[in-house]
Amino acid sequence: MDTLEDPMAFAAPTNPDTLRLHEAMKAPDKLKFEKAMAQEVASHTDNDHWEPIHRSSVPKGVEVLPAVWAMRRKRRIAAQEVHKWKARLNLHGGRQTHLVNCWETHAPVAGWSSVRLFLITMLLNNWQSRQVDFVLAFPQADTECEMFMEIPQGFEFEGSTRDHCLKLKKNLCGQKQAGRVWNKHLHDGLVQRGFVQSEVDMCVHCQGDVALMMHTDDGTFVSPDQKQMQECHDILVAPFADKDGTIHRAFKMTDEGTLSDHLGVEIQPLPNGTIKLSQPHMIDQILKDLGIEEGTKSKPAPAATSAKLHRDIDGEPFAEDWHCRSVIGKLNFLEKSTRLDLSHAVHQCARFSAEPKTSHAAAVKKIGRHLVTTREKGIMLDPKQHSFHCWVDANFVGDWNRVTADVDPSVTKSRSGYVIACGGCPVVWSSKIQKEAALSTMEAECNAMSESLRHVIHMVHLVDELRLKHKWTMCDKAPRVHCEVFEDNAGCCEWAALPKMRPRTKHLGIRLHHFGEDARLGKIAIHKMPTECQLADLATKAQPENLFVAQREALMQWTAEDMSRNKLDRRLAADLSPSSHLRACEITEHAEALIQHASLSKTPKSKQGSEWGL
């Protein structure tokens, strides 16, 4: 902990483009970083973000906090070429004291569910997007309270000595509350200019047909008209006078053009009118960490069906030269962003990352070998005029292990898995162990349904708000937005539609049936889906190869990348021939026909995918 008393910089050691100050000063591009440091200090000084004062002017008992440099090379997502050298001057927030110089610290950001939902809406309505980046975003807001910082090492200010420090006038990066203060400042500026904040998603603001999604200092405009986006952009970058004559400061931001990447995810519009979301460079990092080279024999599925992962208490210790938690963290980010097909396999490995064994390392490597030949793959967005679909399933005590049950209570719990789609394209998905033991298959299914519908209700309300308050044309032609939930447990379906408070189920009533009012109003409809057509199985258990590939194709549409627009449109007719891989929204429409024609109820599960693309 002594190294934290007077830090030079904080950095993640696994990223070669994120450096400490002394590392940057030894790097071949040292001059680039020195230039960036000088520009950073000059920018703060020229914009009057601080003022040098004598330490005797600091109120008694108030600590002067250290200054910390964070150095980073920024690369373009597609070409991976360095296009910017950043030197960010931060206040050492780790030395702040709660209720003295920081209070509330939470700052909301737009989630991936909102981003994907707006991308789907763009495709359905042929709308457009524009990225903006707020320059030195946090210092555009005033400080929440009096803050004092050491003069950055290597810099001097006119008239300053070692007995001087900096009194901050603006909200500086590194403060615990910096994100929250900036978010409030941005929100106030948007509202003053006529934007209306969504009641459902705090990071979505609308003005007419224009929506602005905010993720910290990055913003994305979505609108049917470039002219309206330009007008919104112009009122943000200019001072604004309200009705009372009060002048509000302009926001400093740069126009980054059409949305092409977000949080490391490459967003690529294709000639056939679809959008591809992928992370090939994140996959490259994972393969490099694992030592898997190009040409390594790949695996068709990310997890084995023959063996289940468990704590393996007596197994061989982890002896790899790669850091397990680091690789698992990257896999988690990859899975949550663009690779829902990895959800079950990655979550199983993540459960044992605190004390990994050789068996767990082998499971992680299997995921890596699966990624070798699927490096360029991700999610293909090709929506159909449709509302929400929620595929939900549970694997009742699927990880039970009699040998380790006494030392690993998690084996007594079931796994929830769900995929929520809009227009047939996945928006939210999850695979996780339930928080408490279920007493029956029905209870496990009810737990999973309740959890999934928390996300469904949120998104349905967001779409309803945009349609009704802002007159947006969303992806549902019906008078109201609704969701169809597909469950393969008859008892769960019956209980969800009409909760009968019997002795064995009354404990489920209040805790799980929070969606009852939405079901009564018809916003949620719950249907029995044959197990053979349950796409959420992808997130609850390791699947046979043929079934895994078919379910992945139904949700992620990998074959759509190489199809022409005409061919994609013809496929929407939902050909039920054995060669067709139906999309998620088409399977719901033709489930009964598929069961009847393919006789899936009599076909071994391992062969179902190969026969009917399911």
Side-chain angles (χ1 to χ4, degrees):
M1 296 298 293
D2 294 341
T3 57
L4 299 182
E5 293 301 317
D6 187 20
M8 299 289 286
F10 290 138
T14 58
N15 188 348
D17 288 330
T18 303
L19 301 90
R20 298 177 176 88
L21 178 59
H22 71 278
E23 292 173 333
M25 294 301 98
K26 295 177 183 179
D29 47 3
K30 166 188 172 181
L31 295 179
K32 298 283 188 181
F33 284 116
E34 287 181 344
K35 182 179 178 180
M37 292 170 66
Q39 290 175 342
E40 176 82 356
V41 172
S43 180
H44 286 298
T45 304
D46 295 343
N47 288 286
D48 198 27
H49 292 169
W50 55 42
E51 63 172 320
I53 64 169
H54 198 274
R55 288 178 182 269
S56 61
S57 302
V58 177
K60 187 177 180 180
V62 176
E63 184 179 5
V64 178
L65 302 173
V68 181
W69 281 106
M71 324 296 284
R72 186 183 176 192
R73 303 182 186 96
K74 291 199 73 173
R75 298 179 182 270
R76 301 190 189 279
I77 295 295
Q80 282 296 284
E81 60 187 17
V82 180
H83 69 99
K84 188 182 294 186
W85 286 260
K86 296 192 70 172
R88 181 62 53 83
L89 184 60
N90 302 279
L91 185 76
H92 186 0
R95 295 279 290 272
Q96 288 183 258
T97 304
H98 184 54
L99 300 181
V100 174
N101 50 21
C102 71
W103 290 266
E104 295 294 330
T105 59
H106 171 71
V109 295
W112 263 113
S113 58
S114 296
V115 174
R116 295 189 192 102
L117 188 60
F118 278 95
L119 285 173
I120 291 168
T121 303
M122 282 172 50
L123 285 174
L124 285 169
N125 298 286
N126 196 27
W127 288 2
Q128 302 175 61
S129 66
R130 180 183 294 187
Q131 285 179 290
V132 293
D133 180 31
F134 289 85
V135 181
L136 280 175
F138 289 0
Q140 294 189 39
D142 298 330
T143 56
E144 188 178 37
C145 61
E146 280 193 331
M147 305 284 284
F148 301 89
M149 185 179 75
E150 302 279 3
I151 293 177
Q153 182 177 351
F155 290 87
E156 295 181 357
F157 297 91
E158 185 176 350
S160 67
T161 66
R162 296 186 64 180
D163 294 328
H164 283 72
C165 63
L166 298 175
K167 179 181 179 180
L168 301 184
K169 298 180 180 181
K170 296 294 182 179
N171 178 49
L172 207 63
C173 296
Q175 299 177 51
K176 289 183 178 180
Q177 72 271 37
R180 183 178 182 84
V181 173
W182 155 247
N183 182 268
K184 186 178 184 303
H185 172 72
L186 175 62
H187 166 72
D188 291 343
L190 290 172
V191 171
Q192 289 155 359
R193 289 166 169 81
F195 283 83
V196 179
Q197 184 184 35
S198 167
E199 296 178 1
V200 181
D201 191 326
M202 297 175 64
C203 292
V204 174
H205 292 73
C206 297
Q207 187 182 76
D209 288 336
V210 181
L212 173 62
M213 290 181 294
M214 287 303 306
H215 190 100
T216 313
D217 60 346
D218 293 320
T220 303
F221 286 104
V222 177
S223 174
D225 185 11
Q226 279 284 359
K227 182 180 178 181
Q228 292 186 53
M229 283 194 291
Q230 186 63 47
E231 290 174 354
C232 289
H233 176 274
D234 292 343
I235 65 172
L236 290 177
V237 297
F240 180 79
D242 60 21
K243 294 180 180 179
D244 300 328
T246 304
I247 302 298
H248 301 282
R249 296 192 302 266
F251 289 102
K252 297 177 182 178
M253 61 187 194
T254 58
D255 188 343
E256 303 292 324
T258 303
L259 183 63
S260 59
D261 62 81
H262 182 73
L263 299 180
V265 174
E266 187 175 341
I267 302 174
Q268 181 184 3
L270 299 181
N272 60 10
T274 63
I275 289 180
K276 178 182 177 182
L277 308 181
S278 61
Q279 296 169 279
H281 302 294
M282 173 59 72
I283 293 176
D284 286 343
Q285 291 181 31
I286 294 170
L287 297 179
K288 182 178 179 181
D289 289 347
L290 293 175
I292 298 176
E293 300 178 352
E294 187 176 354
T296 302
K297 185 178 180 180
S298 64
K299 294 290 184 180
T305 58
S306 56
K308 297 177 182 178
L309 279 186
H310 54 87
R311 284 188 63 184
D312 198 10
I313 297 175
D314 299 323
E316 292 292 327
F318 183 87
E320 303 290 334
D321 56 1
W322 42 272
H323 194 277
C324 185
R325 289 190 180 185
S326 173
V327 172
I328 290 295
K330 293 176 182 179
L331 284 170
N332 267 321
F333 180 66
L334 174 68
E335 177 263 317
K336 288 300 179 188
S337 301
T338 59
R339 292 297 297 267
L340 66 93
D341 56 316
L342 305 178
S343 55
H344 174 261
V346 170
H347 189 267
Q348 277 288 72
C349 293
R351 293 174 57 206
F352 310 106
S353 58
E355 192 179 353
K357 303 290 185 178
T358 299
S359 58
H360 306 137
V364 174
K365 285 183 175 181
K366 185 177 178 66
I367 298 175
R369 288 195 291 273
H370 174 67
L371 293 173
V372 170
T373 54
T374 61
R375 172 186 175 276
E376 300 288 341
K377 300 298 184 180
I379 297 176
M380 300 296 301
L381 299 182
D382 181 28
K384 181 182 179 182
Q385 285 288 354
H386 223 287
S387 194
F388 289 99
H389 279 160
C390 175
W391 307 79
V392 57
D393 193 26
N395 189 10
F396 178 56
V397 201
D399 295 324
W400 169 256
N401 187 305
R402 178 179 57 83
V403 178
T404 61
D406 58 334
V407 293
D408 185 9
S410 66
V411 301
T412 65
K413 297 178 181 178
S414 304
R415 176 176 292 274
S416 296
Y418 56 85
V419 179
I420 302 169
C422 180
C425 300
V427 179
V428 178
W429 54 87
S430 177
S431 174
K432 62 173 64 175
I433 297 294
Q434 296 180 2
K435 295 181 179 179
E436 60 185 10
L439 304 181
S440 65
T441 301
M442 191 194 90
E443 183 173 346
E445 301 278 358
C446 291
N447 283 331
M449 180 182 291
S450 175
E451 186 176 344
S452 67
L453 287 180
R454 295 170 204 170
H455 292 278
V456 167
I457 291 171
H458 169 85
M459 287 190 294
V460 167
H461 288 176
L462 175 60
V463 172
D464 258 338
E465 179 186 46
L466 292 171
R467 289 173 60 256
L468 300 176
K469 290 188 177 181
H470 304 286
K471 309 303 179 184
W472 276 37
T473 303
M474 301 301 285
C475 54
D476 183 28
K477 293 183 177 179
R480 56 182 169 77
V481 177
H482 65 280
C483 175
E484 294 183 347
V485 183
F486 299 105
E487 171 62 59
D488 60 3
N489 182 277
C492 179
C493 291
E494 180 184 355
W495 175 85
L498 183 62
K500 300 176 181 178
M501 299 308 169
R502 300 185 177 113
R504 291 183 60 189
T505 60
K506 63 181 181 182
H507 66 290
L508 305 177
I510 297 175
R511 180 170 58 84
L512 298 182
H513 210 273
H514 60 88
F515 53 85
E517 183 65 11
D518 291 277
R520 187 182 69 80
L521 294 174
K523 290 186 176 181
I524 294 173
I526 295 158
H527 302 283
K528 175 73 166 64
M529 173 59 64
T531 301
E532 297 83 356
C533 301
Q534 178 55 273
L535 298 182
D537 275 351
L538 191 75
T540 57
K541 58 184 75 71
Q543 300 283 60
E545 179 185 340
N546 291 330
L547 194 55
F548 168 79
V549 170
Q551 291 174 344
R552 181 184 65 193
E553 178 58 30
L555 291 166
M556 302 175 70
Q557 304 179 51
W558 284 5
T559 57
E561 182 175 359
D562 301 319
M563 291 185 181
S564 66
R565 184 69 258 172
N566 288 337
K567 192 170 183 180
L568 284 172
D569 291 339
R570 287 199 303 271
R571 192 183 69 167
L572 293 182
D575 174 23
L576 297 184
S577 66
S579 61
S580 66
H581 276 292
L582 300 187
R583 299 167 54 186
C585 55
E586 297 161 358
I587 288 177
T588 62
E589 297 170 359
H590 300 276
E592 291 185 6
L594 287 165
I595 295 295
Q596 180 180 358
H597 290 294
S599 301
L600 289 179
S601 58
K602 299 179 181 180
T603 305
K605 196 169 185 180
S606 61
K607 296 182 180 179
Q608 289 165 8
S610 62
E611 289 197 12
W612 287 95
L614 275 176

